[in-house]
Amino acid sequence: MRLLSVFTVAEKCLILQRTCKNYSSVAASNLAFVPSSLPLDCIDLEELQEFVFQSKKLFVLTGAGVSTESGIPDYRSEGVGLYARTARRPIQHSEFVRSAKGRQRYWARNYVGWPQFCSFQPNVTHNVLRKWENLGKLHWLVTQNVDALHTKAGSQRLTELHGCSHRVICLDCGNIMPRPHLQEKFAALNPGWTEEAHGIAPDGDVFLTDDQIQNFNVPSCESCGGILKPDVTFFGDTVNKEKVNFVYERVAESDAVLVAGSSLQV
């Protein structure tokens, strides 16, 4: 099986848009989180075009780098990633499960950030991958992202490896609800609670101080009173084994693998 990894976001998007003639320019509303890159090498472009052309059943893995041109920051990009700009780190699964204070902090930040996060739209990369699927070129798409942008672009042959922040799951009974419904519950439990956000993080939450969140109320599951969590894999947690095996099967069926927008460090 052939493997090609595309690391530089700006270069990657230029390459991908030129492989489909209907995409001649990058339509992005916010480029603040796109890392700088060297000019596109025509030889690299030709190599990728040939790589895609020769594949009959292409498997694609995408990471946070494909969403930066939609306005969503990633973690590791030099200069513009979350780790480069701040000392902030994402919540760990163990902290969310064991700490009511940790859940309060997470949900308060997520509540403030949700209106902006859910408004982000697919960019040229998401649209090109959907076009490849429509053309029968793309066998399967796996994304590490939880932003639902591939779904918004219309991709069907898709596995969200780390889940999706647009869904909420109860850790006790497994009940799943749409994230907008939880937003309404937050608003009802916290009338008049308004706080100003200080920057946005890759997974949709924002930066708030401890003083800002101390009076924020978090709802429980409507069905059993259990703990509500985004239907995503937090840092320190593991991906469902059945999902992993499903992805391995799709890889085995493919004749080439393209990695886009991922450092492959996770």
Side-chain angles (χ1 to χ4, degrees):
M1 181 182 295
R2 299 172 303 138
L3 171 65
L4 184 63
S5 181
V6 184
F7 293 103
T8 306
V9 179
E11 179 176 330
K12 165 190 61 62
C13 288
L14 282 169
I15 292 172
L16 290 179
Q17 68 180 349
R18 293 178 188 179
T19 60
C20 290
K21 63 182 180 180
N22 291 336
Y23 296 94
S24 58
S25 62
V26 175
S29 59
N30 188 345
L31 301 179
F33 301 115
V34 178
S36 60
S37 64
L38 297 173
L40 177 66
D41 188 318
C42 291
I43 295 177
D44 290 339
L45 171 60
E46 293 173 359
E47 179 184 357
L48 177 54
Q49 288 175 324
E50 181 65 16
F51 178 86
V52 174
F53 179 76
Q54 292 293 333
S55 175
K56 304 301 180 185
K57 301 183 72 173
L58 180 64
F59 178 96
V60 179
L61 171 68
T62 67
V66 304
S67 294
T68 55
E69 291 182 358
S70 292
I72 302 176
D74 63 12
Y75 288 106
R76 296 177 177 83
S77 284
E78 184 176 351
V80 293
L82 180 72
Y83 295 166
R85 292 181 291 109
T86 75
R88 304 269 183 175
R89 293 297 181 267
I91 191 169
Q92 296 287 314
H93 176 78
S94 58
E95 180 187 1
F96 187 92
V97 171
R98 73 169 185 265
S99 170
K101 187 68 175 178
R103 292 193 295 275
Q104 181 193 45
R105 180 171 60 254
Y106 175 86
W107 279 123
R109 291 162 51 175
N110 189 272
Y111 171 67
V112 175
W114 175 252
Q116 181 181 7
F117 189 74
C118 70
S119 71
F120 290 123
Q121 295 301 311
N123 61 52
V124 64
T125 305
H126 303 97
N127 292 328
V128 165
L129 291 172
R130 184 259 306 155
K131 184 176 181 65
W132 286 359
E133 179 182 321
N134 293 345
L135 293 171
K137 173 64 64 175
L138 188 148
H139 178 59
W140 205 261
L141 170 61
V142 173
T143 185
Q144 300 169 319
N145 302 335
V146 299
D147 52 34
L149 294 186
H150 285 298
T151 299
K152 288 182 178 181
S155 291
Q156 299 291 320
R157 301 180 67 82
L158 169 68
T159 296
E160 295 169 319
L161 189 63
H162 296 154
C164 181
S165 61
H166 289 243
R167 301 185 300 268
V168 178
I169 187 170
C170 173
L171 294 180
D172 293 332
C173 71
N175 183 51
I176 294 178
M177 73 172 70
R179 178 62 182 81
H181 178 63
L182 185 60
Q183 193 76 356
E184 296 175 359
K185 292 175 65 66
F186 280 134
L189 281 175
N190 299 277
W193 189 89
T194 56
E195 294 293 348
E196 181 181 353
H198 302 288
I200 187 168
D203 294 331
D205 55 344
V206 297
F207 305 144
L208 297 175
T209 67
D210 288 341
D211 289 341
Q212 288 177 297
I213 68 172
Q214 62 181 343
N215 296 317
F216 187 78
N217 297 307
V218 178
S220 301
C221 175
E222 295 174 336
S223 298
C224 72
I227 295 173
L228 296 176
K229 173 183 172 292
D231 190 15
V232 302
T233 302
F234 282 156
F235 281 75
D237 194 10
T238 57
V239 178
N240 177 277
K241 184 177 180 180
E242 288 72 22
K243 182 184 289 188
V244 172
N245 289 337
F246 178 85
V247 170
Y248 280 144
E249 291 172 358
R250 302 293 80 74
V251 173
E253 296 167 351
S254 304
D255 62 0
V257 174
L258 174 68
V259 180
S262 175
S263 64
L264 296 179
Q265 293 186 38
V266 177

